[in-house]
Amino acid sequence: MKITEVAFSIYAVTDIKASRAFYEGILGLKTNSEYDGSKSENWIEYEVGKSTLSIGCSPDWKPSETGVVVALEVDDFDGFVAKLKNDKVTFFMEPQHYPTCDMAVIVDPDKNKIMIHHKKALAQ
């Protein structure tokens, strides 16, 4: 037996409308499915490659500034960072450039951290 993939990741949020504006409007994610269980519980799923990133509003789950960070792979790091800065997104970690990758960390409306990442092609 072995683990074959990450099925999905979830960020807890407090305001589903503000969070959707961020994840859909600013990050450009497309809704895969949504669940509206009640006025206090909502879940939205976004397909990201072969995985799913979800946001959820529930009285049982709370956002965390010190929780897990999902890294989103982008095809144009500098362009994506420029767009985020233009949209006045808060950066927890300014862009960093390493031999194997570029990365930056932003925060959503609940201060959940999200990494913007780009793998560099390795020289052969």
Side-chain angles (χ1 to χ4, degrees):
M1 293 191 312
K2 66 179 180 175
I3 296 170
T4 60
E5 67 183 40
V6 174
F8 62 92
S9 301
I10 300 174
Y11 277 121
V13 299
T14 58
D15 182 336
I16 204 74
K17 184 176 179 180
S19 294
R20 287 188 81 165
F22 178 83
Y23 285 89
E24 295 168 28
I26 292 175
L27 295 183
L29 297 177
K30 303 293 182 216
T31 304
N32 183 17
S33 67
E34 51 188 283
Y35 168 75
D36 184 3
S38 68
K39 290 187 180 209
S40 66
E41 191 165 313
N42 298 90
W43 298 92
I44 310 296
E45 293 185 350
Y46 303 102
E47 190 172 322
V48 181
K50 294 181 180 181
S51 191
T52 300
L53 175 62
S54 302
I55 57 173
C57 196
S58 169
D60 298 328
W61 292 36
K62 304 293 181 225
S64 173
E65 294 180 41
T66 59
V68 173
V69 176
V70 169
L72 300 176
E73 189 70 14
V74 297
D75 59 354
D76 177 1
F77 181 80
D78 293 331
F80 207 87
V81 166
K83 178 197 179 309
L84 294 171
K85 287 184 179 274
N86 187 58
D87 288 337
K88 309 236 183 305
V89 171
T90 301
F91 279 73
F92 175 79
M93 182 182 86
E94 288 293 324
Q96 306 287 313
H97 305 283
Y98 299 98
T100 58
C101 68
D102 299 315
M103 65 177 77
V105 179
I106 60 173
V107 295
D108 75 2
D110 285 294
K111 299 194 179 3
N112 292 305
K113 293 178 183 78
I114 302 162
M115 180 178 285
I116 305 304
H117 185 267
H118 178 73
K119 294 178 194 173
K120 293 180 181 175
L122 298 177
Q124 298 291 340

